[in-house]
Amino acid sequence: MAREVTGREPTAVQRALALLEAVAQLGSGATAKDLARLTRIPPATAYRLLNLLVADGYLVRVHDLSGFALGRRTQELAAAPHAETWPVAEVLEDLRAQVRHGVYLASYERDRIRLVDRDPDHELLGESSLTRHLHASAIGKLLLADRPHLVPGTTLPKVGPRTIVELDRLAIELSRIRSLDVSVEQDELRQGRTAVAVPVRDDGAAIVGCLAAIGGTGRIRTDDRDLIDLLHEFAGRLRLPGAARRT
């Protein structure tokens, strides 16, 4: 990268590192505009450096080209513990021992929800509705937030008593999910059911699935920071190498 940036190499390197840190902070899908604002780098300079970081593999563009995510070379350099591959059964068993709710692992292979692992101690009702009505569940909304082309262009069906059926409200909800890196539902797919879901990423930081905690409304809180942090921690240990992003 330095060979293509002349005149002020030290400043360029500092700015490139600042952009990498900003992507890590904002999460997958961070836009050039947001990154420039956060790092206080002039937009034209930020965009040029972002393109160089993509070319060298330190960043990747998300599938719809609207933003950026950390690339494989950054993951390798960081050697972060969450990049380590752990046996799925071991990770889920450990997590289930720490929470009272049902824990489920789903993949987003071919833009569809597939439950990879169901909690053996908690019955999951309405599984067919979960896979059909993406807008009504935490797992589905996380998929829609990552892949906006899947959002229907027509009125959405009301599945549960609190299902979001207005497209403008759903757009706001999906934006919130992208910003906070967590998706929630409460009485949206089924009366009395609440869920929290966080993304599972591949080695290139692309979202290929999710890890979700599902329980009864009143027993699980959508703002439970400890639970959300725990899900993020365990999701970081998981890899779904067979999950494809698109057909």
Side-chain angles (χ1 to χ4, degrees):
M1 181 179 65
R3 68 180 179 276
E4 299 182 51
V5 180
T6 60
R8 297 181 179 178
E9 285 85 352
T11 300
V13 170
Q14 291 172 350
R15 286 176 166 177
L17 292 174
L19 288 169
L20 288 174
E21 291 178 355
V23 173
Q25 179 180 338
L26 294 178
S28 177
T31 66
K33 182 178 180 180
D34 290 338
L35 294 168
R37 182 186 302 114
L38 180 61
T39 58
R40 298 183 180 179
I41 296 173
T45 302
Y47 192 75
R48 178 165 56 89
L49 289 172
L50 288 168
N51 283 335
L52 292 176
L53 289 167
V54 169
D56 284 349
Y58 293 102
L59 291 177
V60 294
R61 290 185 177 275
V62 296
H63 68 93
D64 62 357
L65 304 181
S66 64
F68 300 86
L70 296 178
R72 182 183 299 274
R73 293 186 71 179
T74 304
Q75 298 278 356
E76 292 172 350
L77 283 175
H82 70 266
E84 180 180 354
T85 299
W86 292 55
V88 170
E90 179 181 326
V91 173
L92 296 180
E93 181 180 2
D94 191 5
L95 176 58
R96 285 168 179 152
Q98 299 186 49
V99 300
R100 296 173 298 170
H101 319 295
V103 172
Y104 300 86
L105 176 64
S107 80
Y108 293 152
E109 185 175 3
R110 300 183 184 278
D111 289 346
R112 295 183 179 181
I113 295 173
R114 181 174 69 87
L115 290 179
V116 176
D117 192 289
R118 298 166 176 81
D119 196 314
D121 297 322
H122 296 266
E123 183 180 8
L124 181 63
L125 300 175
E127 185 173 328
S128 60
S129 294
L130 185 153
T131 57
R132 287 201 318 272
H133 303 299
L134 302 183
H135 66 291
S137 72
I139 293 175
K141 288 188 291 184
L142 188 60
L143 174 58
L144 293 179
D146 183 58
R147 306 176 194 184
H149 65 280
L150 297 178
V151 178
T154 58
T155 303
L156 304 168
K158 192 174 184 65
V159 184
R162 299 183 63 182
T163 308
I164 297 175
V165 296
E166 301 86 359
L167 289 174
D168 55 347
R169 283 188 59 206
L170 180 62
I172 294 172
E173 175 75 356
L174 299 183
S175 177
R176 184 198 65 80
I177 291 169
R178 285 188 288 269
S179 174
L180 300 179
D181 211 31
V182 60
S183 177
V184 301
E185 71 179 83
Q186 185 171 319
D187 301 327
E188 295 176 52
L189 189 70
R190 293 181 64 87
Q191 174 73 45
R193 171 178 144 165
T194 296
V196 177
V198 302
V200 173
R201 292 182 165 86
D202 64 13
D203 291 334
I207 296 177
V208 293
C210 78
L211 185 60
I214 301 175
T217 298
R219 296 183 179 181
I220 180 172
R221 300 196 334 267
T222 59
D223 63 348
D224 187 337
R225 192 70 249 176
D226 290 337
L227 175 61
I228 293 170
D229 289 345
L230 192 66
L231 288 173
H232 275 299
E233 175 189 344
F234 279 82
R237 302 182 188 179
L238 295 166
R239 286 296 178 271
L240 297 172
R245 290 180 59 79
R246 291 181 287 180
T247 55

